[in-house]
Amino acid sequence: MSVASLAEEAKQKKPAKPIATIQTLRGFKDIVPADQDPWRLVRSTAEHFAEAYGFGEITLPVLEETALFNRSIGKQTDIVEKEMFTFADQSEGSISLRPEATASVVRAYINHGMLNLPQPVKLYYWGPMFRRERPQAGRLRQFNQFGLEVLGDSNPVLDAELINLTYNFFRQLGLSAINIQVNSIGCQDCRKQYRDELVAYYKPKRRLLCEDCKRRLVKNPLRLLDCKQPSCRALRAEAPQIVDWLDEGCKSHFMKVIEYLDGLDVPYVLNPFLVRGLDYYTKTVFEIWHGDQEGGAQSALGGGGRYDGLVEMLGGRATPALGCSIGIERVILVLKEQQVVIKPSYVPQVFIAQIGDQGKIKAMILFEKLRQAGIAAAQNFAKDSLKSQLESANKFGVSHVLILGQKEVLDGTILVRDMENGVQEIIDYNKALPEIRKKLAQRQIAETPLVEKSS
Ligand code: HAM
């Protein structure tokens, strides 16, 4: 083929169509390395709290039979009605990505015969939940929860302990403006009477309600109380309050919880309209808000309460229980908003720079030695130029750079550069560990502020 015809063929070839990139689904997010520090902080704090308060970790599947959520969260709730990711599986029937984990914890409690363990059984979990909600800041379709569940004991001190734990967890993270909302929605019996009362109150005002609330009036009247529409809010102000309908048992349980919270100095707000969005609750319910919210449901950092009927509803022996979950993405948003300082998990003290193949090998061996000795080192072995390696060292903010150039390799030495004053020193490669330790210790002493003795 001639050069001319080759050129003609190339001219006629259509330009290659750019390949479309694929994005994450709406409401689903990647968490890239640069964003991981707050995640690590929240997770390690959560684990520390859970273990300190005697909770054991449980890891649960993300897929469950849809019936588990229908029966527990309730068919008439927003979550089950419109937010679940549900699929027909070839052999398992209808399955769903878990929208929350309390139902799974209860299933596991029954399946593993935990009813026979000393009670209460305290379990905690961490992991992704899935709800097909309209995505916005703090509201995702895949989000993560840290959850705590206590099964097998009806003592109100447990309700107070759980609220206290949650409150201290947020304090430990350094968050301010934490606002705990508490209410009691009683047991099935007192709630039935209250529900009738509520319907009687709202029925004559039906035309003033939003479309959703008109449906709620028939299907799930308690949910009328947490509608965010201004017209429904206005009506709520005069609505009957559940606390007035609590029977003696539920009332005294609630009084005890309040008494313990007062004794512990945990600040809380009694919110007679707090009802929560899941059907399994009984007696104490609570939410942790950031600020005084009311504006958007996204400011609830967590929520929970008692669910004394759930174990039985899912086929187990009647067992009182309670729990709560915290939304990690929302906590991280607030950490950022409040500019809470988060220490990175790995802070290199030294940088190892190298030149040439032999330099690279010695540098890699040295890196491993330092790592084993607990000295945090950084490196960029793929770079050949010393200049760009020193730039990296600067970015890491290390106190010393250890240079292994051709001369050092031949001499069996390392050139150590103090990044603060630029002073360079040669040390023996074989004595690198004690020498570097000494230098880091000297630097630490120099940087420790002198504390003035009070007379
Ligand atoms: P929940 O109130 O549905 O309760 O969720 C708890 C927390 O999860 C919320 O306060 C919020 O921080 C976070 N969350 C919920 N939905 C989203 C979303 N779409 N995007 C981001 N974060 C979200 C439960 O899930 C119950 N299982 C709590 C519980 C445990 N009750 C007893 N034990």
Side-chain angles (χ1 to χ4, degrees), residues 79 100 102 125 131 133 138-140 143 145 148-149 276 278 280-281 300-305 307 323-327 330:
I79 297 180
E100 59 110 51
T102 308
Y125 51 85
R131 295 184 194 175
E133 293 196 74
R139 198 199 280 161
L140 295 149
F143 59 98
Q145 281 185 349
L148 300 143
E149 313 288 347
R276 310 270 303 129
L278 306 96
Y280 51 61
Y281 290 110
L301 300 180
Y307 47 91
C324 77
S325 327
I326 290 163
R330 292 190 189 173

Side-chain angles (χ1 to χ4, degrees), residues 376-394:
Q379 45 78 20
N380 198 342
F381 296 140
K383 287 270 176 282
D384 294 325
S385 121
L386 185 60
K387 186 166 170 269
S388 68
Q389 291 182 69
L390 291 178
E391 278 166 11
S392 298
N394 255 326

Side-chain angles (χ1 to χ4, degrees), residues 399-400 415-425 443:
S399 60
H400 296 83
L415 181 65
V416 181
R417 177 189 284 197
D418 186 318
M419 293 299 275
E420 197 165 282
N421 52 26
V423 172
Q424 307 207 128
E425 199 185 317
R443 171 56 48 88

